[in-house]
Amino acid sequence: MTHQERMARKKEVIDARIAKATEERGVLILLKGNGKGKSSSAFGTMARAVGHGQRAAVVQFSKGRLETGEYKLFKDHPQIDWYVMGHGFTWETQDRERDIEAAEQAWVKAQEILQDDRYGIVVFDEMSYMFKYKYLALEPVLEALQARPKMQHVIITGRVMPDGLVEIADTISSIRDEGHAFRKGVKAQAGIEY
């Protein structure tokens, strides 16, 4: 079989799959795993959506100690509403009550966004930690996600996702850690880690 024949067969298979995908709605995307790049992937997808004219919202649940490059780039963009709600990672704050309060405030903002059909894409950055450390109850989040506007896309990042989120997600990507400069003694650098 020639290359052209193999590619023609492959095209038939792909075209048949495309023809079967007729539903149009917002999707829930989970970006998880120990590897670097979950938030970067979420913000890249958000940039793509904004490039197509969608309005975006970001709620950062844990980050807050340093201004990230993506925040500096997008914070004044007229199509993006950005909320940095956390005080930093829990091992930095070491104040459980303060972390729970920050998580609850972030969730109030997130709920507002999930009820607003002006937003085409929403990023809940580092949200999965809120469930791991029991700062937020999962059930109200699942209910709000399932009741959101039909065309609203949501991306949630974090290392480990609770089963309930996995069950309702449309797309799940696991980012694996196969090596990291930090373990080689290279410090976190602006533009790479934040």
Side-chain angles (χ1 to χ4, degrees), residues 8 17-18 37 56 63 67 69 72 87 109 113 147-148 176:
R17 288 182 185 160
I18 290 170
K63 294 177 181 169
E67 274 196 348
K72 289 179 177 186
H87 299 294
K109 179 54 67 180
I113 292 166
R148 73 186 191 274
R176 229 172 66 201

Side-chain angles (χ1 to χ4, degrees), residues 66-106:
L66 297 170
E67 274 196 348
T68 62
E70 57 270 17
Y71 172 76
K72 289 179 177 186
L73 177 65
F74 291 130
K75 69 183 171 92
D76 296 322
H77 195 288
Q79 287 171 246
I80 301 171
D81 294 326
W82 197 294
Y83 305 95
V84 179
M85 305 297 288
H87 299 294
F89 291 107
T90 189
W91 57 87
E92 292 171 339
T93 64
Q94 299 181 17
D95 185 339
R96 180 171 172 76
E97 294 310 311
R98 185 174 176 217
D99 289 345
I100 290 171
E101 182 181 312
E104 289 171 349
Q105 290 172 358

Side-chain angles (χ1 to χ4, degrees), residues 106-117:
W107 175 237
V108 167
K109 179 54 67 180
Q111 281 181 297
E112 291 172 14
I113 292 166
L114 287 172
Q115 296 170 9
D116 191 336
D117 65 1

